[in-house]
Structures are given as structure tokens and as C-alpha cells.
mmCIF file of all heavy atoms in Angstrom:
data_model
loop_
_atom_site.group_PDB
_atom_site.id
_atom_site.type_symbol
_atom_site.label_atom_id
_atom_site.label_comp_id
_atom_site.label_asym_id
_atom_site.label_seq_id
_atom_site.Cartn_x
_atom_site.Cartn_y
_atom_site.Cartn_z
ATOM 1 N N ASP A 290 109.666 105.006 77.963
ATOM 2 C CA ASP A 290 110.189 104.004 78.898
ATOM 3 C C ASP A 290 110.103 104.570 80.255
ATOM 4 O O ASP A 290 110.735 105.584 80.615
ATOM 5 C CB ASP A 290 111.645 103.711 78.507
ATOM 6 C CG ASP A 290 111.802 102.928 77.255
ATOM 7 O OD1 ASP A 290 111.412 101.779 77.179
ATOM 8 O OD2 ASP A 290 112.295 103.563 76.240
ATOM 9 N N ILE A 291 109.302 103.865 81.167
ATOM 10 C CA ILE A 291 108.948 104.430 82.466
ATOM 11 C C ILE A 291 109.107 103.327 83.470
ATOM 12 O O ILE A 291 108.901 102.143 83.298
ATOM 13 C CB ILE A 291 107.580 104.904 82.468
ATOM 14 C CG1 ILE A 291 107.266 106.061 81.531
ATOM 15 C CG2 ILE A 291 107.246 105.370 83.938
ATOM 16 C CD1 ILE A 291 105.841 106.411 81.348
ATOM 17 N N ARG A 292 109.855 103.813 84.568
ATOM 18 C CA ARG A 292 110.141 102.828 85.666
ATOM 19 C C ARG A 292 109.510 103.343 86.914
ATOM 20 O O ARG A 292 109.617 104.555 87.254
ATOM 21 C CB ARG A 292 111.633 102.638 85.758
ATOM 22 C CG ARG A 292 112.015 101.699 86.897
ATOM 23 C CD ARG A 292 113.614 101.647 86.961
ATOM 24 N NE ARG A 292 114.235 101.282 85.736
ATOM 25 C CZ ARG A 292 114.977 102.204 85.013
ATOM 26 N NH1 ARG A 292 115.199 103.372 85.400
ATOM 27 N NH2 ARG A 292 115.409 101.762 83.854
ATOM 28 N N ALA A 293 108.670 102.406 87.652
ATOM 29 C CA ALA A 293 108.213 102.784 88.915
ATOM 30 C C ALA A 293 109.096 102.058 90.015
ATOM 31 O O ALA A 293 109.283 100.828 89.953
ATOM 32 C CB ALA A 293 106.833 102.229 89.061
ATOM 33 N N VAL A 294 109.586 102.837 90.948
ATOM 34 C CA VAL A 294 110.460 102.344 92.072
ATOM 35 C C VAL A 294 109.693 102.271 93.367
ATOM 36 O O VAL A 294 109.165 103.267 93.714
ATOM 37 C CB VAL A 294 111.734 103.241 92.145
ATOM 38 C CG1 VAL A 294 112.657 102.661 93.087
ATOM 39 C CG2 VAL A 294 112.483 103.316 90.763
ATOM 40 N N PHE A 295 109.737 101.136 93.920
ATOM 41 C CA PHE A 295 109.104 100.949 95.182
ATOM 42 C C PHE A 295 110.084 100.664 96.323
ATOM 43 O O PHE A 295 111.171 100.141 95.967
ATOM 44 C CB PHE A 295 108.065 99.763 95.184
ATOM 45 C CG PHE A 295 106.938 99.934 94.234
ATOM 46 C CD1 PHE A 295 107.015 99.513 92.863
ATOM 47 C CD2 PHE A 295 105.781 100.530 94.700
ATOM 48 C CE1 PHE A 295 105.978 99.708 92.039
ATOM 49 C CE2 PHE A 295 104.667 100.770 93.817
ATOM 50 C CZ PHE A 295 104.843 100.369 92.464
ATOM 51 N N VAL A 296 109.811 100.963 97.492
ATOM 52 C CA VAL A 296 110.687 100.606 98.659
ATOM 53 C C VAL A 296 109.908 99.989 99.822
ATOM 54 O O VAL A 296 108.633 100.124 99.821
ATOM 55 C CB VAL A 296 111.485 101.831 99.234
ATOM 56 C CG1 VAL A 296 112.400 102.475 98.150
ATOM 57 C CG2 VAL A 296 110.545 102.880 99.714
ATOM 58 N N ARG A 297 110.579 99.239 100.602
ATOM 59 C CA ARG A 297 109.901 98.593 101.698
ATOM 60 C C ARG A 297 109.333 99.549 102.719
ATOM 61 O O ARG A 297 109.949 100.614 102.990
ATOM 62 C CB ARG A 297 110.871 97.673 102.503
ATOM 63 C CG ARG A 297 111.259 96.400 101.788
ATOM 64 C CD ARG A 297 110.123 95.418 101.961
ATOM 65 N NE ARG A 297 110.476 94.106 101.523
ATOM 66 C CZ ARG A 297 109.707 93.071 101.464
ATOM 67 N NH1 ARG A 297 108.371 93.074 101.802
ATOM 68 N NH2 ARG A 297 110.071 91.837 100.941
ATOM 69 N N ASP A 298 108.223 99.265 103.179
ATOM 70 C CA ASP A 298 107.465 100.146 104.202
ATOM 71 C C ASP A 298 108.010 99.796 105.540
ATOM 72 O O ASP A 298 107.437 98.947 106.176
ATOM 73 C CB ASP A 298 105.913 100.091 104.055
ATOM 74 C CG ASP A 298 105.244 101.140 104.974
ATOM 75 O OD1 ASP A 298 105.954 101.805 105.785
ATOM 76 O OD2 ASP A 298 104.091 101.070 104.958
ATOM 77 N N THR A 299 109.070 100.422 105.975
ATOM 78 C CA THR A 299 109.646 99.994 107.303
ATOM 79 C C THR A 299 109.353 101.118 108.304
ATOM 80 O O THR A 299 109.959 101.129 109.430
ATOM 81 C CB THR A 299 111.155 99.831 107.184
ATOM 82 O OG1 THR A 299 111.798 101.041 106.651
ATOM 83 C CG2 THR A 299 111.430 98.626 106.173
ATOM 84 N N PHE A 300 108.538 102.094 107.880
ATOM 85 C CA PHE A 300 108.335 103.299 108.801
ATOM 86 C C PHE A 300 107.143 103.034 109.794
ATOM 87 O O PHE A 300 106.080 102.549 109.476
ATOM 88 C CB PHE A 300 107.944 104.514 107.941
ATOM 89 C CG PHE A 300 108.961 104.898 106.887
ATOM 90 C CD1 PHE A 300 108.673 104.424 105.594
ATOM 91 C CD2 PHE A 300 110.054 105.581 107.252
ATOM 92 C CE1 PHE A 300 109.705 104.807 104.613
ATOM 93 C CE2 PHE A 300 111.083 105.778 106.263
ATOM 94 C CZ PHE A 300 110.720 105.453 105.045
ATOM 95 N N GLY A 301 107.377 103.261 111.059
ATOM 96 C CA GLY A 301 106.366 103.261 112.142
ATOM 97 C C GLY A 301 105.320 104.240 111.956
ATOM 98 O O GLY A 301 104.185 104.041 112.306
ATOM 99 N N ILE A 302 105.753 105.441 111.469
ATOM 100 C CA ILE A 302 104.755 106.569 111.223
ATOM 101 C C ILE A 302 105.019 107.071 109.903
ATOM 102 O O ILE A 302 106.183 107.374 109.403
ATOM 103 C CB ILE A 302 105.070 107.739 112.280
ATOM 104 C CG1 ILE A 302 104.956 107.156 113.717
ATOM 105 C CG2 ILE A 302 104.007 108.777 112.092
ATOM 106 C CD1 ILE A 302 105.515 108.101 114.755
ATOM 107 N N ARG A 303 103.938 107.265 109.096
ATOM 108 C CA ARG A 303 104.085 107.807 107.728
ATOM 109 C C ARG A 303 102.877 108.658 107.332
ATOM 110 O O ARG A 303 101.853 108.424 107.661
ATOM 111 C CB ARG A 303 104.263 106.598 106.724
ATOM 112 C CG ARG A 303 104.491 106.976 105.367
ATOM 113 C CD ARG A 303 105.002 105.856 104.602
ATOM 114 N NE ARG A 303 104.168 104.710 104.561
ATOM 115 C CZ ARG A 303 103.240 104.490 103.569
ATOM 116 N NH1 ARG A 303 103.024 105.534 102.748
ATOM 117 N NH2 ARG A 303 102.493 103.346 103.614
ATOM 118 N N THR A 304 103.161 109.705 106.584
ATOM 119 C CA THR A 304 102.141 110.485 106.045
ATOM 120 C C THR A 304 101.528 109.856 104.747
ATOM 121 O O THR A 304 102.207 109.656 103.810
ATOM 122 C CB THR A 304 102.632 111.964 105.754
ATOM 123 O OG1 THR A 304 103.109 112.600 106.908
ATOM 124 C CG2 THR A 304 101.527 112.771 105.081
ATOM 125 N N LEU A 305 100.248 109.550 104.818
ATOM 126 C CA LEU A 305 99.684 108.882 103.616
ATOM 127 C C LEU A 305 99.054 109.914 102.564
ATOM 128 O O LEU A 305 99.082 109.615 101.470
ATOM 129 C CB LEU A 305 98.534 108.022 104.102
ATOM 130 C CG LEU A 305 98.799 106.710 104.719
ATOM 131 C CD1 LEU A 305 97.428 105.989 104.885
ATOM 132 C CD2 LEU A 305 99.643 105.865 103.776
ATOM 133 N N ALA A 306 98.717 111.094 103.083
ATOM 134 C CA ALA A 306 98.182 112.105 102.170
ATOM 135 C C ALA A 306 98.333 113.387 102.776
ATOM 136 O O ALA A 306 98.274 113.591 104.087
ATOM 137 C CB ALA A 306 96.638 111.758 102.038
ATOM 138 N N GLY A 307 98.499 114.512 102.024
ATOM 139 C CA GLY A 307 98.743 115.825 102.513
ATOM 140 C C GLY A 307 100.060 116.113 103.102
ATOM 141 O O GLY A 307 101.079 115.495 102.612
ATOM 142 N N GLY A 308 100.155 116.893 104.125
ATOM 143 C CA GLY A 308 101.468 117.212 104.727
ATOM 144 C C GLY A 308 102.205 118.233 103.976
ATOM 145 O O GLY A 308 103.389 118.407 104.238
ATOM 146 N N LYS A 309 101.571 118.845 103.025
ATOM 147 C CA LYS A 309 102.235 119.869 102.116
ATOM 148 C C LYS A 309 101.781 121.306 102.515
ATOM 149 O O LYS A 309 101.862 122.176 101.681
ATOM 150 C CB LYS A 309 101.908 119.570 100.753
ATOM 151 C CG LYS A 309 102.291 118.208 100.188
ATOM 152 C CD LYS A 309 103.825 117.996 100.177
ATOM 153 C CE LYS A 309 104.208 116.689 99.792
ATOM 154 N NZ LYS A 309 105.648 116.350 99.769
ATOM 155 N N GLY A 310 101.331 121.481 103.801
ATOM 156 C CA GLY A 310 100.847 122.842 104.114
ATOM 157 C C GLY A 310 99.331 122.928 103.873
ATOM 158 O O GLY A 310 98.771 122.111 103.067
ATOM 159 N N LYS A 311 98.755 123.976 104.421
ATOM 160 C CA LYS A 311 97.373 124.282 104.189
ATOM 161 C C LYS A 311 97.121 124.901 102.804
ATOM 162 O O LYS A 311 97.848 125.787 102.410
ATOM 163 C CB LYS A 311 96.824 125.237 105.239
ATOM 164 C CG LYS A 311 95.353 125.672 105.139
ATOM 165 C CD LYS A 311 94.912 126.438 106.292
ATOM 166 C CE LYS A 311 95.533 127.761 106.396
ATOM 167 N NZ LYS A 311 94.932 128.616 107.623
ATOM 168 N N GLY A 312 96.214 124.404 102.025
ATOM 169 C CA GLY A 312 95.928 124.968 100.654
ATOM 170 C C GLY A 312 94.868 124.280 99.926
ATOM 171 O O GLY A 312 94.208 123.425 100.518
ATOM 172 N N ILE A 313 94.720 124.646 98.675
ATOM 173 C CA ILE A 313 93.630 124.069 97.925
ATOM 174 C C ILE A 313 94.139 123.162 96.772
ATOM 175 O O ILE A 313 93.388 122.752 95.968
ATOM 176 C CB ILE A 313 92.837 125.263 97.246
ATOM 177 C CG1 ILE A 313 93.692 126.130 96.337
ATOM 178 C CG2 ILE A 313 92.174 126.065 98.365
ATOM 179 C CD1 ILE A 313 92.931 127.170 95.496
ATOM 180 N N GLU A 314 95.442 122.958 96.692
ATOM 181 C CA GLU A 314 96.037 122.132 95.622
ATOM 182 C C GLU A 314 95.620 120.664 95.880
ATOM 183 O O GLU A 314 95.229 120.399 97.007
ATOM 184 C CB GLU A 314 97.503 122.285 95.552
ATOM 185 C CG GLU A 314 98.047 123.723 95.365
ATOM 186 C CD GLU A 314 97.551 124.290 93.920
ATOM 187 O OE1 GLU A 314 97.361 123.449 93.012
ATOM 188 O OE2 GLU A 314 97.256 125.460 93.941
ATOM 189 N N MET A 315 95.790 119.904 94.836
ATOM 190 C CA MET A 315 95.273 118.460 95.002
ATOM 191 C C MET A 315 96.171 117.697 95.879
ATOM 192 O O MET A 315 95.839 116.503 96.254
ATOM 193 C CB MET A 315 95.348 117.860 93.593
ATOM 194 C CG MET A 315 94.171 118.359 92.646
ATOM 195 S SD MET A 315 92.628 118.081 93.446
ATOM 196 C CE MET A 315 91.609 119.432 92.745
#
């Protein structure tokens, strides 16, 4: 049993990808 929770995008600035430091992970 799995639930996906979404929230409204009310942010003027948001990180779409990365932002986890420099590295080789996915």
C-alpha cells in the first residue's frame, strides 16, 4: 500500500535537480 503526497507549488525559487553537493551520485 503506497501513497504519493503532493503539495502546491507556491515557491518563487525552487531546486529542480541536484543541490546535494558536488558528486557522482544520481
Side-chain angles (χ1 to χ4, degrees):
D290 291 288
I291 298 173
R292 183 182 301 113
V294 180
F295 298 90
V296 296
R297 285 281 188 186
D298 185 359
T299 59
F300 304 99
I302 306 169
R303 182 161 63 85
T304 298
L305 283 187
K309 304 295 183 182
K311 180 173 70 175
I313 62 172
E314 302 300 326
M315 290 300 152

